[in-house]
Amino acid sequence: MTDAFPKDFVWGAASSAYQIEGGAAQDGRGPSVWDTFCERPGAVRDGHTGDVACDHYNRFNDDVKLMADMGVRAYRFSISWTRVLPSGRGRINEKGLAFYGRLVDALLAAGIEPWATLFHWDYPEALQQQGGWLDRESPEWFARYAGVMSSALADRVTNWMTINEPQIFIGHGHGDGAHAPGLKLSMPERLVASHHVLLAHGRGVAAIREAAKRPVKVGWAVCGRADHPASESPADIEAARGAFNAVTKRDSWNNTFWADPVCLGRYPEDALRLFADEMPVYTAGDMKTISAPLDFYGVNIYSGDRWRAGEGGVPEVVPQGPGHPQTAFGWPITPGCMEWAVRFLHERYKLPIYITENGMASIDWVDSEGKVQDPQRIDFTRGYLRSLAKAANAGLCKGYFHWSILDNFEWAEGYRQRFGLVHVDFDTLARTQKESAKWYRGVMKSGVV
Ligand code: IFM
């Protein structure tokens, strides 16, 4: 069985600055909350840090050659805010800014389309000290940074994403404290921070467009629930749709609390009921700012619950049987979530969808023949792509970025979880293409999976 994708489908791979760059103290980069968090005893597994990571900051030319050799057509990377603005605002660090110019030039020269994300969790420590996302000025700090980057790169970078996965950096960074900056805020404070993140996104969209001086495409890259139906019966589809679009829990892990304000200009009714008077005061002007029109919707998809209409039509999650397939991280493998997340998002928000991340952690090593055999990653990706092909061929999804190009710093898990298409030996920093990279090369070339 094979599935062909549309000819103009965008094929790529993704990374983020703190997870691969290293060069933490090089050329005037300022500290981010992740630098500080990694210093806290016990915060990150085995005390790992992103100080060196994959040393991509110094090896980016070789990494771009590697990507070209792998047949990567588009590369989603993020910019380290504090490499460019060491204190988050104020003085621009020209050396840091120049790095991204060189990276973009190298990508373009290799025929790889750069897709830039402005914020992938490495918030400036100096701004954190001033209140971080709790400060009403924080959207303006972000807008300034967005404008600086757009002025510098939008002549060459067409596709932009504002923020990556607010569900996680608010949920873990400001809720349970498992990620930087390690805060455990009360629910009203968390909601204030969330509202400011949404405002920052909207201000960022405007700033990117204003500084670009030519038409660019702007979106975001979020995660959320990937509820999907257990069958194609209308009742099961309705059960999954209901869950996908609901805010039922007092946490950040949902779709609509974030996406309704951005795409529809309002918070969803169920969230307003659930959080009631814990919600911050906001104005119609705020909602107008937040809902600045987007060109695309980027979504990161890994795993989701299967839903069915149970007894009397009551929606219920289908329990996973014993031994259900899972990744090394313990995340259930549920390929059907790909097609349906795209369908549900497109149906509600009417934007072209890009899968800005998808992939899996597995236990990979360079074997005695010098190869990295990762058949699970090939099978995982094949299954998810076959599911995605249905949504792509229905015209709903326009591109796919595999997470990740390189094994990298997996946040609180340190270097233990390997998500790369390319294996990195963290002692020597040697790169080895995994078998999955060779397989994915064929997929990107043929558009057939
Ligand atoms: O590594 C992360 C990435 O930074 C954000 N999305 C999920 C990935 C895997 O956990």
Side-chain angles (χ1 to χ4, degrees), residues 275-289:
F275 298 121
D277 43 8
E278 292 169 302
M279 279 297 282
V281 175
Y282 57 90
T283 65
D286 286 358
M287 300 317 283
K288 190 157 189 288
T289 300

mmCIF file with all atom_site columns, all heavy atoms in Angstrom, residues 275-289:
data_model
loop_
_atom_site.group_PDB
_atom_site.id
_atom_site.type_symbol
_atom_site.label_atom_id
_atom_site.label_alt_id
_atom_site.label_comp_id
_atom_site.label_asym_id
_atom_site.label_entity_id
_atom_site.label_seq_id
_atom_site.pdbx_PDB_ins_code
_atom_site.Cartn_x
_atom_site.Cartn_y
_atom_site.Cartn_z
_atom_site.occupancy
_atom_site.B_iso_or_equiv
_atom_site.pdbx_formal_charge
_atom_site.auth_seq_id
_atom_site.auth_comp_id
_atom_site.auth_asym_id
_atom_site.auth_atom_id
_atom_site.pdbx_PDB_model_num
ATOM 1   N N   . PHE A 1 275 ? -13.256 28.793 34.060 1.00 0.00 ? 275 PHE A N   1
ATOM 2   C CA  . PHE A 1 275 ? -12.338 29.653 34.822 1.00 0.00 ? 275 PHE A CA  1
ATOM 3   C C   . PHE A 1 275 ? -13.064 30.843 35.449 1.00 0.00 ? 275 PHE A C   1
ATOM 4   O O   . PHE A 1 275 ? -12.516 31.518 36.318 1.00 0.00 ? 275 PHE A O   1
ATOM 5   C CB  . PHE A 1 275 ? -11.176 30.113 33.933 1.00 0.00 ? 275 PHE A CB  1
ATOM 6   C CG  . PHE A 1 275 ? -10.330 28.968 33.432 1.00 0.00 ? 275 PHE A CG  1
ATOM 7   C CD1 . PHE A 1 275 ? -10.166 28.727 32.076 1.00 0.00 ? 275 PHE A CD1 1
ATOM 8   C CD2 . PHE A 1 275 ? -9.699  28.124 34.335 1.00 0.00 ? 275 PHE A CD2 1
ATOM 9   C CE1 . PHE A 1 275 ? -9.391  27.658 31.621 1.00 0.00 ? 275 PHE A CE1 1
ATOM 10  C CE2 . PHE A 1 275 ? -8.917  27.052 33.890 1.00 0.00 ? 275 PHE A CE2 1
ATOM 11  C CZ  . PHE A 1 275 ? -8.769  26.820 32.533 1.00 0.00 ? 275 PHE A CZ  1
ATOM 12  N N   . ALA A 1 276 ? -14.257 31.108 34.967 1.00 0.00 ? 276 ALA A N   1
ATOM 13  C CA  . ALA A 1 276 ? -15.145 32.140 35.521 1.00 0.00 ? 276 ALA A CA  1
ATOM 14  C C   . ALA A 1 276 ? -14.375 33.368 36.010 1.00 0.00 ? 276 ALA A C   1
ATOM 15  O O   . ALA A 1 276 ? -13.664 33.992 35.236 1.00 0.00 ? 276 ALA A O   1
ATOM 16  C CB  . ALA A 1 276 ? -16.015 31.535 36.616 1.00 0.00 ? 276 ALA A CB  1
ATOM 17  N N   . ASP A 1 277 ? -14.502 33.705 37.299 1.00 0.00 ? 277 ASP A N   1
ATOM 18  C CA  . ASP A 1 277 ? -13.882 34.970 37.742 1.00 0.00 ? 277 ASP A CA  1
ATOM 19  C C   . ASP A 1 277 ? -12.380 34.868 37.978 1.00 0.00 ? 277 ASP A C   1
ATOM 20  O O   . ASP A 1 277 ? -11.737 35.813 38.437 1.00 0.00 ? 277 ASP A O   1
ATOM 21  C CB  . ASP A 1 277 ? -14.608 35.545 38.968 1.00 0.00 ? 277 ASP A CB  1
ATOM 22  C CG  . ASP A 1 277 ? -14.936 34.495 39.984 1.00 0.00 ? 277 ASP A CG  1
ATOM 23  O OD1 . ASP A 1 277 ? -14.455 33.352 39.797 1.00 0.00 ? 277 ASP A OD1 1
ATOM 24  O OD2 . ASP A 1 277 ? -15.662 34.790 40.944 1.00 0.00 ? 277 ASP A OD2 1
ATOM 25  N N   . GLU A 1 278 ? -11.788 33.720 37.604 1.00 0.00 ? 278 GLU A N   1
ATOM 26  C CA  . GLU A 1 278 ? -10.316 33.653 37.636 1.00 0.00 ? 278 GLU A CA  1
ATOM 27  C C   . GLU A 1 278 ? -9.713  34.258 36.369 1.00 0.00 ? 278 GLU A C   1
ATOM 28  O O   . GLU A 1 278 ? -8.510  34.524 36.309 1.00 0.00 ? 278 GLU A O   1
ATOM 29  C CB  . GLU A 1 278 ? -9.856  32.196 37.750 1.00 0.00 ? 278 GLU A CB  1
ATOM 30  C CG  . GLU A 1 278 ? -10.199 31.565 39.091 1.00 0.00 ? 278 GLU A CG  1
ATOM 31  C CD  . GLU A 1 278 ? -9.973  30.062 39.076 1.00 0.00 ? 278 GLU A CD  1
ATOM 32  O OE1 . GLU A 1 278 ? -10.592 29.374 38.235 1.00 0.00 ? 278 GLU A OE1 1
ATOM 33  O OE2 . GLU A 1 278 ? -9.179  29.577 39.894 1.00 0.00 ? 278 GLU A OE2 1
ATOM 34  N N   . MET A 1 279 ? -10.555 34.453 35.340 1.00 0.00 ? 279 MET A N   1
ATOM 35  C CA  . MET A 1 279 ? -10.035 35.014 34.079 1.00 0.00 ? 279 MET A CA  1
ATOM 36  C C   . MET A 1 279 ? -9.588  36.459 34.310 1.00 0.00 ? 279 MET A C   1
ATOM 37  O O   . MET A 1 279 ? -10.208 37.192 35.070 1.00 0.00 ? 279 MET A O   1
ATOM 38  C CB  . MET A 1 279 ? -11.134 35.016 33.004 1.00 0.00 ? 279 MET A CB  1
ATOM 39  C CG  . MET A 1 279 ? -11.347 33.687 32.313 1.00 0.00 ? 279 MET A CG  1
ATOM 40  S SD  . MET A 1 279 ? -9.913  33.118 31.372 1.00 0.00 ? 279 MET A SD  1
ATOM 41  C CE  . MET A 1 279 ? -10.000 34.114 29.885 1.00 0.00 ? 279 MET A CE  1
ATOM 42  N N   . PRO A 1 280 ? -8.518  36.884 33.635 1.00 0.00 ? 280 PRO A N   1
ATOM 43  C CA  . PRO A 1 280 ? -8.097  38.286 33.767 1.00 0.00 ? 280 PRO A CA  1
ATOM 44  C C   . PRO A 1 280 ? -9.100  39.209 33.087 1.00 0.00 ? 280 PRO A C   1
ATOM 45  O O   . PRO A 1 280 ? -9.879  38.774 32.244 1.00 0.00 ? 280 PRO A O   1
ATOM 46  C CB  . PRO A 1 280 ? -6.766  38.321 33.014 1.00 0.00 ? 280 PRO A CB  1
ATOM 47  C CG  . PRO A 1 280 ? -6.805  37.162 32.078 1.00 0.00 ? 280 PRO A CG  1
ATOM 48  C CD  . PRO A 1 280 ? -7.686  36.124 32.696 1.00 0.00 ? 280 PRO A CD  1
ATOM 49  N N   . VAL A 1 281 ? -9.034  40.468 33.460 1.00 0.00 ? 281 VAL A N   1
ATOM 50  C CA  . VAL A 1 281 ? -9.858  41.463 32.766 1.00 0.00 ? 281 VAL A CA  1
ATOM 51  C C   . VAL A 1 281 ? -9.202  41.714 31.405 1.00 0.00 ? 281 VAL A C   1
ATOM 52  O O   . VAL A 1 281 ? -7.993  41.896 31.331 1.00 0.00 ? 281 VAL A O   1
ATOM 53  C CB  . VAL A 1 281 ? -9.892  42.778 33.584 1.00 0.00 ? 281 VAL A CB  1
ATOM 54  C CG1 . VAL A 1 281 ? -10.637 43.870 32.830 1.00 0.00 ? 281 VAL A CG1 1
ATOM 55  C CG2 . VAL A 1 281 ? -10.518 42.515 34.951 1.00 0.00 ? 281 VAL A CG2 1
ATOM 56  N N   . TYR A 1 282 ? -9.995  41.675 30.353 1.00 0.00 ? 282 TYR A N   1
ATOM 57  C CA  . TYR A 1 282 ? -9.424  41.969 29.031 1.00 0.00 ? 282 TYR A CA  1
ATOM 58  C C   . TYR A 1 282 ? -10.444 42.770 28.235 1.00 0.00 ? 282 TYR A C   1
ATOM 59  O O   . TYR A 1 282 ? -11.628 42.798 28.559 1.00 0.00 ? 282 TYR A O   1
ATOM 60  C CB  . TYR A 1 282 ? -9.013  40.686 28.295 1.00 0.00 ? 282 TYR A CB  1
ATOM 61  C CG  . TYR A 1 282 ? -10.132 39.689 28.107 1.00 0.00 ? 282 TYR A CG  1
ATOM 62  C CD1 . TYR A 1 282 ? -10.939 39.730 26.969 1.00 0.00 ? 282 TYR A CD1 1
ATOM 63  C CD2 . TYR A 1 282 ? -10.396 38.709 29.055 1.00 0.00 ? 282 TYR A CD2 1
ATOM 64  C CE1 . TYR A 1 282 ? -11.973 38.826 26.795 1.00 0.00 ? 282 TYR A CE1 1
ATOM 65  C CE2 . TYR A 1 282 ? -11.419 37.805 28.895 1.00 0.00 ? 282 TYR A CE2 1
ATOM 66  C CZ  . TYR A 1 282 ? -12.208 37.862 27.758 1.00 0.00 ? 282 TYR A CZ  1
ATOM 67  O OH  . TYR A 1 282 ? -13.234 36.974 27.598 1.00 0.00 ? 282 TYR A OH  1
ATOM 68  N N   . THR A 1 283 ? -9.946  43.396 27.172 1.00 0.00 ? 283 THR A N   1
ATOM 69  C CA  . THR A 1 283 ? -10.806 44.310 26.425 1.00 0.00 ? 283 THR A CA  1
ATOM 70  C C   . THR A 1 283 ? -11.060 43.767 25.013 1.00 0.00 ? 283 THR A C   1
ATOM 71  O O   . THR A 1 283 ? -10.369 42.856 24.544 1.00 0.00 ? 283 THR A O   1
ATOM 72  C CB  . THR A 1 283 ? -10.107 45.677 26.258 1.00 0.00 ? 283 THR A CB  1
ATOM 73  O OG1 . THR A 1 283 ? -8.936  45.466 25.447 1.00 0.00 ? 283 THR A OG1 1
ATOM 74  C CG2 . THR A 1 283 ? -9.705  46.273 27.596 1.00 0.00 ? 283 THR A CG2 1
ATOM 75  N N   . ALA A 1 284 ? -12.022 44.402 24.339 1.00 0.00 ? 284 ALA A N   1
ATOM 76  C CA  . ALA A 1 284 ? -12.285 44.040 22.944 1.00 0.00 ? 284 ALA A CA  1
ATOM 77  C C   . ALA A 1 284 ? -11.041 44.345 22.106 1.00 0.00 ? 284 ALA A C   1
ATOM 78  O O   . ALA A 1 284 ? -10.728 43.639 21.145 1.00 0.00 ? 284 ALA A O   1
ATOM 79  C CB  . ALA A 1 284 ? -13.488 44.830 22.430 1.00 0.00 ? 284 ALA A CB  1
ATOM 80  N N   . GLY A 1 285 ? -10.319 45.389 22.494 1.00 0.00 ? 285 GLY A N   1
ATOM 81  C CA  . GLY A 1 285 ? -9.077  45.742 21.782 1.00 0.00 ? 285 GLY A CA  1
ATOM 82  C C   . GLY A 1 285 ? -8.044  44.617 21.888 1.00 0.00 ? 285 GLY A C   1
ATOM 83  O O   . GLY A 1 285 ? -7.342  44.305 20.920 1.00 0.00 ? 285 GLY A O   1
ATOM 84  N N   . ASP A 1 286 ? -7.959  44.018 23.095 1.00 0.00 ? 286 ASP A N   1
ATOM 85  C CA  . ASP A 1 286 ? -7.030  42.884 23.261 1.00 0.00 ? 286 ASP A CA  1
ATOM 86  C C   . ASP A 1 286 ? -7.384  41.780 22.262 1.00 0.00 ? 286 ASP A C   1
ATOM 87  O O   . ASP A 1 286 ? -6.509  41.205 21.611 1.00 0.00 ? 286 ASP A O   1
ATOM 88  C CB  . ASP A 1 286 ? -7.150  42.262 24.664 1.00 0.00 ? 286 ASP A CB  1
ATOM 89  C CG  . ASP A 1 286 ? -6.524  43.101 25.752 1.00 0.00 ? 286 ASP A CG  1
ATOM 90  O OD1 . ASP A 1 286 ? -5.947  44.159 25.451 1.00 0.00 ? 286 ASP A OD1 1
ATOM 91  O OD2 . ASP A 1 286 ? -6.616  42.683 26.928 1.00 0.00 ? 286 ASP A OD2 1
ATOM 92  N N   . MET A 1 287 ? -8.680  41.474 22.179 1.00 0.00 ? 287 MET A N   1
ATOM 93  C CA  . MET A 1 287 ? -9.082  40.338 21.337 1.00 0.00 ? 287 MET A CA  1
ATOM 94  C C   . MET A 1 287 ? -8.821  40.651 19.860 1.00 0.00 ? 287 MET A C   1
ATOM 95  O O   . MET A 1 287 ? -8.494  39.756 19.079 1.00 0.00 ? 287 MET A O   1
ATOM 96  C CB  . MET A 1 287 ? -10.559 39.971 21.565 1.00 0.00 ? 287 MET A CB  1
ATOM 97  C CG  . MET A 1 287 ? -10.891 39.568 22.997 1.00 0.00 ? 287 MET A CG  1
ATOM 98  S SD  . MET A 1 287 ? -9.663  38.475 23.780 1.00 0.00 ? 287 MET A SD  1
ATOM 99  C CE  . MET A 1 287 ? -10.035 36.901 23.041 1.00 0.00 ? 287 MET A CE  1
ATOM 100 N N   . LYS A 1 288 ? -8.929  41.916 19.515 1.00 0.00 ? 288 LYS A N   1
ATOM 101 C CA  . LYS A 1 288 ? -8.640  42.303 18.123 1.00 0.00 ? 288 LYS A CA  1
ATOM 102 C C   . LYS A 1 288 ? -7.135  42.107 17.848 1.00 0.00 ? 288 LYS A C   1
ATOM 103 O O   . LYS A 1 288 ? -6.735  41.599 16.808 1.00 0.00 ? 288 LYS A O   1
ATOM 104 C CB  . LYS A 1 288 ? -9.042  43.770 17.922 1.00 0.00 ? 288 LYS A CB  1
ATOM 105 C CG  . LYS A 1 288 ? -9.014  44.208 16.495 1.00 0.00 ? 288 LYS A CG  1
ATOM 106 C CD  . LYS A 1 288 ? -9.925  45.423 16.290 1.00 0.00 ? 288 LYS A CD  1
ATOM 107 C CE  . LYS A 1 288 ? -10.096 45.745 14.820 1.00 0.00 ? 288 LYS A CE  1
ATOM 108 N NZ  . LYS A 1 288 ? -8.921  46.316 14.197 1.00 0.00 ? 288 LYS A NZ  1
ATOM 109 N N   . THR A 1 289 ? -6.319  42.506 18.799 1.00 0.00 ? 289 THR A N   1
ATOM 110 C CA  . THR A 1 289 ? -4.862  42.333 18.645 1.00 0.00 ? 289 THR A CA  1
ATOM 111 C C   . THR A 1 289 ? -4.512  40.853 18.517 1.00 0.00 ? 289 THR A C   1
ATOM 112 O O   . THR A 1 289 ? -3.751  40.447 17.637 1.00 0.00 ? 289 THR A O   1
ATOM 113 C CB  . THR A 1 289 ? -4.132  42.912 19.883 1.00 0.00 ? 289 THR A CB  1
ATOM 114 O OG1 . THR A 1 289 ? -4.455  44.286 19.978 1.00 0.00 ? 289 THR A OG1 1
ATOM 115 C CG2 . THR A 1 289 ? -2.630  42.730 19.792 1.00 0.00 ? 289 THR A CG2 1
#
